[in-house]
């Protein structure tokens, strides 16, 4: 079978930010054989490889990708029930939210809080996607991948994935593996997870909600923050959270509190304990408390009107403008609070 090879393919329409140049070559990878052939072809051409799936967490440079883009499109969901548990194997190219909707409809608990997240299933272990009190590390049992160094298929058990907050071994070595499939264990007829304050508060004083009700509520919350893809939403072109929430020592957190007081910031500093010595401070709060405003615009990019952690492209812009604006936001935070923000999306063909 010849490789499904295309040339000079615009990448902007394949990302939720709708920014960036073209791929020199693009190969649609719908099965493992194509993946292996595509990687060999890229090596023969001495071309760098970029693995692209849903494009929802990706910033592509204005010059595009001077190499081969592998568009991951393997599909398939299989499951096996044992007692009150179900093991689900999901191919990397499955759209994540369709998977969540499917599992919730079956009454399988474990993914309900991860509703409405754009992107594909295979991308979720890389940065350990999390939201509203759940993260994929809670339910993943194994990741099937192609190891580009040994040129072999490998199955990595959950404990070997090195999961942390928005982190995994795969994120630290982005060029060495391609995720083929993930395996999850869900709870048949299980209770929903109500751990995130904003979510659990909406059910206070009521009977325990079903997982379907929790999915609906999470979708409502996300919609209110423009964090679901809606063609009519003016904030729709984004990569979700643009920065991770910094984890700082308690000393640094005290400095943040003192600086906030000095600058007359009205809202208290939100802090979430991580361990005895560290707390997490929401990057959205730091951005607003350092003087940036929701809806603030810099040409064709700006801050979402609904959430201070989403940088939005209004159309007709450039990646360079987006990165410049993101740096302005990060510099304001650094100057006022001495805290460094780190971008959450993957950067390709452009540096942070
Ligand atoms: N906040 C502000 N201004 C805003 C929004 C939020 O000051 O405009 C402050 C508030 O104090 C709020 C706190 O930030 O209580 C937390 O906000 P939110 O609950 O919206 O969550 P987040 O920390 O901004 C994280 C994830 C999201 C995930 C939500 C819900 C990261 C980087 N982001 O956002 O994930 O949906 O929690 O669990 O951890 C993503 O990764 O792309 C993403 C959207």
């Amino acid at each position: 079978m010849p490789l499904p090879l295309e040339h000079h393919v615009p990448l902007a329409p394949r990302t939720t930010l709708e920014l960036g140049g073209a791929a020199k070559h693009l190969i649609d990878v719908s099965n493992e054989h194509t993946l292996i052939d595509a990687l060999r072809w890229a090596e023969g051409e001495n071309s760098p490889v970029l693995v692209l799936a849903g494009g929802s967490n990706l910033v592509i440079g204005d010059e595009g990708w001077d190499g081969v883009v592998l568009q991951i499109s393997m599909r398939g969901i299989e499951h096996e029930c044992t007692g009150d548990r179900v093991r689900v194997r999901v191919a990397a190219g499955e759209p994540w939210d369709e998977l969540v909707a499917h599992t919730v409809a079956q009454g399988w608990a474990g993914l309900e809080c991860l509703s409405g997240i754009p992107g594909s299933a295979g991308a979720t272990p890389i940065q350990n996607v999390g939201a509203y009190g759940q993260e994929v590390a809670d339910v993943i049992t194994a990741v099937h991948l192609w190891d580009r160094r040994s040129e072999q298929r490998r199955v990595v058990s959950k404990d070997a994935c090195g999961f942390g907050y928005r982190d995994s071994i795969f994120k630290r070595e982005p060029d060495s593996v391609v995720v083929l499939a993930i395996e999850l264990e869900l709870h048949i007829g299980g209770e929903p997870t109500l751990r995130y304050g904003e979510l659990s508060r909406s059910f206070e004083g009521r009977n325990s909600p079903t997982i379907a009700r929790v999915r609906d509520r999470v979708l409502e919350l996300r919609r209110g923050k423009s964090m679901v893809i809606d063609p009519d939403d003016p904030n729709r072109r984004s990569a979700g959270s643009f920065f991770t929430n910094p984890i700082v020592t308690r000393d640094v957190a005290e400095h943040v509190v003192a600086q906030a007081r000095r600058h007359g910031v009205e809202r208290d500093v939100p802090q979430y304990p991580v361990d005895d010595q560290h707390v997490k401070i929401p990057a959205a709060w730091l951005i607003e408390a350092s003087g940036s405003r929701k809806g603030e615009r810099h040409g064709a990019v700006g801050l979402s009107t609904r959430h201070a952690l989403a940088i939005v492209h209004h159309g007709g812009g450039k990646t360079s403008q987006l990165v410049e604006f993101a740096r302005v936001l990060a510099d304001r935070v650094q100057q006022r609070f001495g805290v460094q923000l780190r971008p959450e999306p993957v950067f390709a063909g452009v540096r942070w």
Side-chain angles (χ1 to χ4, degrees), residues 153-170:
R153 173 179 241 291
R154 274 205 291 139
V155 182
V156 182
S157 68
K158 181 227 176 110
D159 292 342
C161 290
F163 287 129
Y165 165 61
R166 293 291 190 276
D167 199 23
S168 73
I169 52 161
F170 318 117

Side-chain angles (χ1 to χ4, degrees), residues 19 39 43 51 100 131 145 195 210 225 232-233 255 285 313:
L19 280 175
L39 287 169
E43 208 175 303
V51 177
V100 176
L145 52 82
R195 207 182 280 147
T210 60
K225 300 176 188 181
D232 297 328
D233 186 336
H255 175 68
W285 183 91
H313 168 218

Side-chain angles (χ1 to χ4, degrees), residues 130-133 165-166 196 198 222 225 227 239-241 243-245 267 270 272 282 284-285 288 294 306-309 344:
Y132 298 98
Y165 165 61
R166 293 291 190 276
Y196 200 77
E198 199 184 7
R222 291 189 73 98
K225 300 176 188 181
M227 293 280 182
S241 301
F243 298 101
T244 52
N245 289 330
R267 287 159 58 214
Y272 306 102
W285 183 91
E288 289 196 286
K294 284 204 258 293
R306 295 241 187 94
H307 201 291
L309 199 45
E344 196 210 54

